[in-house]
Amino acid sequence: MKLMLSVLLTAVLTENFILCKFLGICPFLGVSKKLNTAVGMSGAVIFVMALATAVTYPINKFLLVKHDLEYLQTIVFILVIAALVQFVEIVLKKFMPPLYNSLGIYLPLITTNCAVLGVVMLNIGKEFNFALSMVNSIGAGLGFMLAMVMFAGVRQKLEGCDIPKFMQGLPITLVAASLVSVSFLGFTGLVDGIFA
Amino acid sequence: MAEKRSIGKEFTKGFISENPVLRLVLGTCPTLAVTTSVVNAIGMGLAATIVLIGSNMVISALRKIIPSKVRIPAFVVVIASFVTIVQMLVKAFVPVLDESLGVYLPLIVVNCIILGRAEAFASKNPVLVSAVDGLGMGLGFTTALLCMSSIREIIGAGTFLSGTQSLLALFGDNVLGGFDGFTLISGNGALKPMVILILAPGGFFVFGLLMACVNKLAEKKGKPKAELKGCSNCPMAASCSLECKNDIKEGKA
């Protein structure tokens, strides 16, 4: 239990996917203009991360590792994730239209998102068991949401600012992201401190 | 339009006018993540270049066979195969690089530059031109990484090209007379390296300033400034139901 909590906190705060590991920068810069799209996108990311981990973990353990095919991980995982996302999208559209309207529209964007493939790869790299992999994936998703929501707030403030012409648009957004990222540096050592 | 352009132009456009990172704003994740040292940046850039050339050639050769409905999954399989090959080569010959690039090496699969080029260029052009396009784009990506990493390593760590030996380990020990980078700021004197530049916030900051400089230069030349278009370059744009569809309808993409 203690281990799970420490993995969760690490994934959300000290090793935040966007602000410390630079995974999923495209949606971070692209879909964080409004709070509701930021929340919708992050919700879909959490869902897909958890689902992708739940599916790829057994595939890796019982197919790839068992038959010495670890080198196929990259190909197999990206295909499984892409197929899974498409499948979920179709199912949601057909059977759960309200959920589809709030989360489903973001799903195609996530297929080629490096955060999802990244979390699956990291789980294997860290040799987590199934439960820890799930905790880590959900933590990574929550961290993604935290960063997106915080940054959406910052960007709404930026809208009304008088910014020098050459810094307008992307440059100022990146500098703002840098400042948000500084705040996350403050969490360094937090998890080790709590669970020491 | 593409047929009329010369091969030389396909090669050089990737460096400046259509630089994938600084002009098209693609592949931002690896750009921010691996530019903590110049050696890492070169390794990442070259790995992506090899994948880009290979996948562009194969996709271009298969462009008439792949049905357009399943083209994205087909492209992903081709790209993933090349990434796997590169991954195995790096693991075998330059294990230090494999360690320092870590998860970002397999993540070349989802690098938008590669899928973007496959969709926008290789699936419409002959093999040779696509290979040249891949080489130009790959080297343009490497150049952009080199700019970022030089700034970050010199100011953030006070060194330049440190760790060269580990990258060259494949050619034996002590190649280039044992050259292992310069130390520019030793940290013993009053001047200390600004460590924050090689940490996460420094990545966003340096990239932001670099984009500002590029935009300023583009403005002088009367070219549009780089924006995160996202959708127009995103290979998923056609199947995506978010803002992209509106963009496409309005003719932006």
Side-chain angles (χ1 to χ4, degrees):
Chain A
M1 200 58 219
K2 208 173 158 187
L3 187 62
M4 278 188 185
L5 210 57
S6 102
V7 167
L8 185 73
L9 272 183
T10 308
V12 177
L13 298 176
T14 50
E15 287 183 17
N16 188 287
F17 254 51
I18 294 177
L19 297 168
C20 305
K21 283 191 176 302
F22 301 119
L23 294 169
I25 300 291
C26 299
F28 178 61
L29 298 174
V31 219
S32 62
K33 267 188 195 140
K34 287 186 205 121
L35 190 61
N36 54 349
T37 47
V39 173
M41 177 78 187
S42 325
V45 167
I46 297 177
F47 179 64
V48 173
M49 275 181 171
L51 205 61
T53 308
V55 173
T56 52
Y57 184 86
I59 290 180
N60 182 53
K61 185 155 188 189
F62 299 114
L63 272 176
L64 300 182
V65 174
K66 200 175 170 191
H67 299 284
D68 283 329
L69 292 170
E70 282 111 325
Y71 63 91
L72 284 178
Q73 274 166 353
T74 314
I75 301 182
V76 170
F77 289 173
I78 187 76
L79 283 180
V80 167
I81 293 171
L84 191 74
V85 172
Q86 292 283 315
F87 179 70
V88 169
E89 197 199 353
I90 294 168
V91 170
L92 281 187
K93 206 174 189 173
K94 178 89 180 151
F95 296 107
M96 283 172 268
L99 193 61
Y100 176 78
N101 287 329
S102 55
L103 289 186
I105 50 168
Y106 301 96
L107 286 176
L109 272 182
I110 295 172
T111 322
T112 49
N113 184 336
C114 51
V116 177
L117 189 61
V119 79
V120 171
M121 292 287 189
L122 282 174
N123 283 336
I124 288 163
K126 288 184 177 173
E127 293 177 355
F128 283 150
N129 62 22
F130 186 72
L132 280 181
S133 295
M134 289 306 289
V135 170
N136 190 39
S137 302
I138 292 169
L142 288 174
F144 188 93
M145 181 178 251
L146 182 66
M148 289 281 276
V149 169
M150 277 173 64
F151 198 56
V154 173
R155 275 186 93 162
Q156 273 168 359
K157 293 268 179 202
L158 269 180
E159 298 270 294
C161 291
D162 187 17
I163 299 159
K165 203 171 168 233
F166 71 101
M167 287 294 282
Q168 276 169 13
L170 195 59
I172 194 69
T173 313
L174 284 163
V175 173
S178 151
L179 295 178
V180 176
S181 171
V182 170
S183 68
F184 272 73
L185 272 189
F187 292 120
T188 315
L190 173 92
V191 175
D192 296 336
I194 294 176
F195 298 98
Chain B
M1 111 222 142
E3 288 78 14
K4 282 178 192 161
R5 283 202 200 156
S6 67
I7 285 197
K9 210 159 191 183
E10 296 300 347
F11 179 65
T12 50
K13 70 171 190 245
F15 283 89
I16 298 165
S17 66
E18 288 182 34
N19 187 296
V21 177
L22 299 172
R23 298 286 301 148
L24 305 179
V25 205
L26 291 173
T28 37
C29 300
T31 308
L32 292 165
V34 301
T35 50
T36 49
S37 78
V38 178
V39 169
N40 274 358
I42 295 175
M44 181 69 186
L46 292 183
T49 309
I50 296 170
V51 175
L52 201 46
I53 298 172
S55 67
N56 259 11
M57 282 174 77
V58 171
I59 288 167
S60 155
L62 295 174
R63 70 186 186 282
K64 287 182 184 137
I65 303 169
I66 299 174
S68 73
K69 268 191 182 166
V70 292
R71 65 184 193 286
I72 300 287
F75 295 166
V76 170
V77 177
V78 173
I79 296 168
S81 319
F82 276 102
V83 170
T84 308
I85 295 169
V86 168
Q87 232 182 315
M88 289 165 106
L89 287 175
V90 171
K91 258 189 195 138
F93 293 109
V94 213
V96 185
L97 189 67
D98 178 59
E99 233 163 74
S100 57
L101 291 182
V103 72
Y104 296 100
L105 196 57
L107 286 182
I108 297 178
V109 180
V110 281
N111 190 325
C112 336
I113 298 174
I114 295 167
L115 199 53
R117 288 328 284 172
E119 170 82 351
F121 197 91
S123 59
K124 297 182 187 108
N125 288 288
V127 178
L128 185 64
V129 190
S130 299
V132 172
D133 173 78
L135 181 65
M137 281 288 162
L139 292 180
F141 177 59
T142 315
T143 316
L145 290 186
L146 213 55
C147 286
M148 279 273 292
S149 61
S150 306
I151 300 171
R152 288 180 75 185
E153 192 183 332
I154 291 174
I155 305 178
T159 57
F160 185 61
L161 283 169
S162 104
T164 316
Q165 282 302 314
S166 63
L167 193 64
L168 295 174
L170 141 82
F171 303 111
D173 292 336
N174 284 329
V175 264
L176 295 178
F179 173 75
D180 204 22
F182 308 100
T183 305
L184 301 168
I185 308 170
S186 64
N188 297 328
L191 196 63
K192 298 255 190 306
M194 287 167 67
V195 183
I196 196 156
L197 277 194
I198 54 170
L199 297 176
F204 285 113
F205 190 70
V206 172
F207 193 39
L209 293 190
L210 211 57
M211 289 302 300
C213 295
V214 172
N215 280 353
K216 188 82 186 165
L217 286 175
E219 195 190 313
K220 266 191 188 161
K221 293 214 163 183
K223 295 214 170 115
K225 64 179 185 175
E227 261 312 320
L228 188 81
K229 283 175 248 156
C231 289
S232 62
N233 291 318
C234 173
M236 301 305 290
S239 62
C240 169
S241 42
L242 197 62
E243 292 148 9
C244 328
K245 265 204 177 144
N246 303 329
D247 282 3
I248 293 166
K249 265 184 212 154
E250 288 162 22
K252 275 190 221 157

